[in-house]
Amino acid sequence: MADCLFCRIVAGEIPATIVKRSDEAIAFRDIDARAPAHVLVIPTEHVAAVRDARGAEGERLLGMLLRFAAEVATELGLDSAGYRIVTNTGKDAGQSVDHLHFHVLGGRKLTWPPG
Ligand code: 5GP
Ligand code: ZN
């Protein structure tokens, strides 16, 4: 989608610090990191949010993205201390970019529940 910020990052039109990529997903550093490790994992194809990943293809996509996020966490050295994977959906959750993304957060003690 031409006017989607994360599609533009996928296309290389907006720079990002990419930490992992495949044909179907990329992971890059959040521009406003809320933890020492804060990476976003997104599909290269535009999907607006987790609620829009439906059916068999949605199931496959979400599984792939979660595995990809777990591999990012491993590569960032977060396995032993732990980390959080979270996705905000819609306005009550504060989703600010309408392209599905999982936040991978770690490197400090995280509070629960989130605000
Ligand atoms: P959300 O609020 O939708 O769950 O998460 C969107 C995230 O995208 C935010 O944490 C925000 O800091 C991040 N973000 C917004 N614009 C950019 C950008 O241009 N580059 C990068 N790397 N991250 C961005
Ligand atoms: Zn997009």
Side-chain angles (χ1 to χ4, degrees), residues 21-63:
R21 68 164 81 235
S22 72
D23 287 347
E24 292 188 304
I26 63 170
F28 54 95
R29 301 268 178 195
D30 196 295
I31 205 168
D32 182 21
R34 300 306 177 99
H38 187 175
V39 167
L40 303 173
V41 169
I42 69 168
T44 54
E45 289 288 321
H46 183 86
V47 176
V50 72
R51 66 180 165 220
D52 301 302
R54 296 198 167 97
E57 175 52 22
E59 186 175 326
R60 192 197 64 79
L61 182 76
L62 292 174

Side-chain angles (χ1 to χ4, degrees), residues 60-80:
R60 192 197 64 79
L61 182 76
L62 292 174
M64 178 277 293
L65 288 169
L66 263 184
R67 180 94 289 280
F68 193 91
E71 287 166 11
V72 167
T74 298
E75 289 167 20
L76 293 174
L78 300 173
D79 275 341
S80 62

